[in-house]
Amino acid sequence: MSSETKASPSFSVANPPLSSSMTRYRVMVEKELLELVRSFKLLWVPLVFILLGIMQPVSTYYMPVILEHAGSLPDGTVIDIPLPQAAEVLAQTLQQFGTLGILVLVLVCMGSVSGERNSGAASLILVKPVSPLSYVGSKWTAMLMLAWGSLAAGYLASWYYTGLLIGAVPLSKVIGSLLIYGLWLTFVVSITILFSSLLRSPAAAAFSTLVGSVVLSLLAGLFPKALGWNPGALSGFASQAVVSEISDSGKFGLAILVVFIGMASAVLAAAGALRRSSAVE
Amino acid sequence: MTTLLQVKGLSKSFGAVRAVSNIDFTIREGHCVALLGPNGAGKTTTIRMITGLLKQTSGKMEFQGAAEGVHYRSLIGYLPQSPSFYSWMTGSEYLIYAGQLCGLSAATAKLRAKALLERVGISGAAKRRIGSYSGGMKQRLGLAQALVHQPKLLVMDEPVSALDPLGRKEVLELLRELKQETTVLFSTHVLHDAEVLCDDVIIIRNGQVALQGAIDRIRENHRKPTIELQVEQDEHSQRWMSTFSRRIQSLLNEKDEGALFQDVQLQNGIARFTVSEMDAARRMLIEELAREQVKVSRLEVGHTSLEDLFMKVVTG
Amino acid sequence: MKESIDLSQILPIIAPIIVIQLILMVIALVLCAKADHTRGPKWVWVLIIIFVNIFGPIAFFIAGRRTDG
């Protein structure tokens, strides 16, 4: 061992910078994915989304029956709830994702950076020739894979059940609204990662993100003219895309631009926070 | 012997608090250097700046061999006080991961991981989750991950402080072997650990270097003869003891560099005199004792230890 | 509209829902059994996982385990 350690120039650390940092980034993403697998997150988060996706059409379809059997209604009451349009059910599914789905995603990645920083595991990694950007980037990438995968699984399940019980919706519309909604989730995940890097407490990071996304959605809903371009409007655009057409394509384009700028700056700012001090101890 | 790391004027302030101010030292290749000081002296801050985990307020560090395009971090292996890993990984997986992050190929990393696990003596637990490791095993794994890319400089922060006596002994043994292979810098507040392992010592206090140099030379230079004196419990002898100590003490206050007595400490009825010249001091003391008819129970001649020096430097 | 709930008609539709809930419950129970430390007593978590639909397992996944490096 002693001779091996002294005379081995073969393990050179002077790799070409670009390709080596790409390799490291890939290795780190693989590690994050392995962590998602080992913690069963890659299994249970999509399952929750699928459950949410299935429940929406099923409960819509059986709502009249359920009400009838609730038994509190006097005899002879005619329950006549018109079955909604198939596309509307999908839009409602997106609303479910917007509350419970986002809650689950934010809670899952609230500690992704701060957890490792608090424990000290991050220092052990960042002391190696690894850039904070690829460290944050790898977590961001893995979380996005989880978010997009769960969203796609849940939404497609909802689409399948809606087709079975209520009516068909063209796949192209579903895919379109899925992509738009995915951008909103991407934005929310990026902000969670940012807060997770800035704040010591995971709960504070989750809280800030949730409040922030609720505020953005509210602003977009309350002032569609003035603030209809903020990322919070994307969930609305996604519903529009599946039910009919996107009415204001100018604001829609702007919202997409804002999301891309927002997520890039969130990741860069998170990396900057880590560069200043890799650990909070 | 070439210089591996040169630290010049390194300082760190946290707000108004100056944790480390203007530290200079050099680490020569192949040496084992201890950063010694009491808790809160700025050891961890210094270590974290050297590893690049904390940005210094001012000052600089120069690494030999940190050529263009090679980040100096790739020359350092770092072991924090109580390393924390990913508890869901196995020891072997973590080492392979660490190796790949240091730029090794997957195949090389695998080989290194296997060799290192054996080297630090935890190959039996290689396939177990790190979450189930004991403190000593984690420290060994920490050492292994610090060595995975064969760093030029191994930096450790209080490597044995958090361990129980047995784990401490084992890790010290391991470090003794490792220092043959690479340059080592470690911080400790325990003088004994520094004495056992190191060639050089840097004693810091309140964020400043109080004393530094080769440990043998420091021991030589600061070694002074001492006389320990103990007397019987009778009233006369005890009274003499306290008056004599007071007399010496008042002489000390005159700050005469050439004085025969340099220091006196009275503790538990034992007086310990640090003297400049043994023969004269001994003669003088024995004459005095005979004249005053003091009942001596013990008179012992010795030397100040490194411990005395450390205590003096750190508290003085 | 439908007159009453016809079980044979409903079952294939809601079966996947039940299966997914069972899977979530089983994963949560397995993780709970394997966990070294849980936040709060283990048996309380077991009850929550089994008796609180959907949210029981989710709550355990998110908040139930104390992770230490």
Side-chain angles (χ1 to χ4, degrees), chain B residues 153-292:
Chain B
L153 177 63
L154 177 62
V155 181
M156 296 177 286
D157 191 8
E158 301 270 6
V160 293
S161 300
L163 298 177
D164 58 29
L166 188 65
R168 190 188 182 83
K169 189 163 163 273
E170 288 170 351
V171 172
L172 279 175
E173 204 55 49
L174 197 57
L175 290 179
R176 206 202 299 267
E177 293 168 26
L178 285 172
K179 72 168 193 179
Q180 313 295 325
E181 297 163 16
T182 181
T183 312
V184 177
L185 169 69
F186 75 92
S187 74
T188 177
H189 63 270
V190 185
L191 174 72
H192 174 256
D193 297 345
E195 266 188 293
V196 167
L197 287 174
C198 286
D199 311 307
D200 299 336
V201 63
I202 302 163
I203 301 181
I204 66 171
R205 178 169 62 104
N206 298 334
Q208 282 171 310
V209 175
L211 185 67
Q212 64 171 311
I215 205 160
D216 292 334
R217 191 164 319 139
I218 291 180
R219 196 186 279 124
E220 277 313 307
N221 289 351
H222 293 266
R223 199 161 116 121
K224 287 192 183 129
T226 58
I227 301 176
E228 270 186 22
L229 179 66
Q230 198 175 3
V231 297
E232 304 264 328
Q233 291 297 324
D234 66 296
E235 202 184 324
H236 173 66
S237 305
Q238 288 294 326
R239 187 148 13 97
W240 174 84
M241 185 77 138
S242 54
T243 30
F244 185 73
S245 318
R246 255 202 307 280
R247 209 170 82 215
I248 299 289
Q249 194 71 50
S250 62
L251 281 175
L252 285 178
N253 292 340
E254 289 167 19
K255 298 259 177 218
D256 184 359
E257 278 299 310
L260 193 53
F261 289 88
Q262 303 270 310
D263 191 23
V264 58
Q265 281 171 337
L266 194 56
Q267 227 173 30
N268 303 332
I270 303 171
R272 190 158 186 259
F273 306 97
T274 309
V275 301
S276 57
E277 210 219 312
M278 176 54 76
D279 287 340
R282 178 162 43 194
R283 200 175 324 118
M284 179 263 181
L285 200 57
I286 289 176
E287 279 168 9
E288 169 94 19
L289 289 169
R291 194 169 56 239
E292 299 289 331

Side-chain angles (χ1 to χ4, degrees), chain A residues 35 92 95 157 164 183 196 203-204 222 240 243 246:
Chain A
E35 183 167 9
Q92 285 161 3
Q95 270 174 17
L164 217 61
L183 281 180
S196 182
L222 290 176
Q240 278 180 24
V243 174
I246 288 174

Side-chain angles (χ1 to χ4, degrees), chain A residues 110-223:
Chain A
M110 64 182 175
S112 57
V113 179
S114 60
E116 290 190 9
R117 271 178 113 191
N118 290 340
S119 76
S123 341
L124 224 50
I125 297 302
L126 287 166
V127 79
K128 304 200 157 58
V130 165
S131 80
L133 184 61
S134 46
Y135 176 80
V136 172
S138 67
K139 292 189 176 301
W140 180 77
T141 311
M143 284 303 166
L144 283 191
M145 287 181 179
L146 179 68
W148 279 90
S150 306
L151 171 67
Y155 201 42
L156 291 177
S158 180
W159 174 66
Y160 175 76
Y161 263 78
T162 306
L164 217 61
L165 297 173
I166 296 160
V169 180
L171 185 61
S172 61
K173 290 212 147 206
V174 174
I175 300 287
S177 62
L178 172 71
L179 292 177
I180 299 167
Y181 201 82
L183 281 180
W184 169 232
L185 288 190
T186 302
F187 182 79
V188 174
V189 167
S190 311
I191 298 298
T192 317
I193 300 257
L194 172 63
F195 280 125
S196 182
S197 312
L198 293 177
L199 304 173
R200 198 187 172 131
S201 142
F207 183 76
S208 313
T209 311
L210 290 172
V211 168
S213 57
V214 166
V215 167
L216 284 182
S217 302
L218 277 180
L219 287 178
L222 290 176
F223 311 104

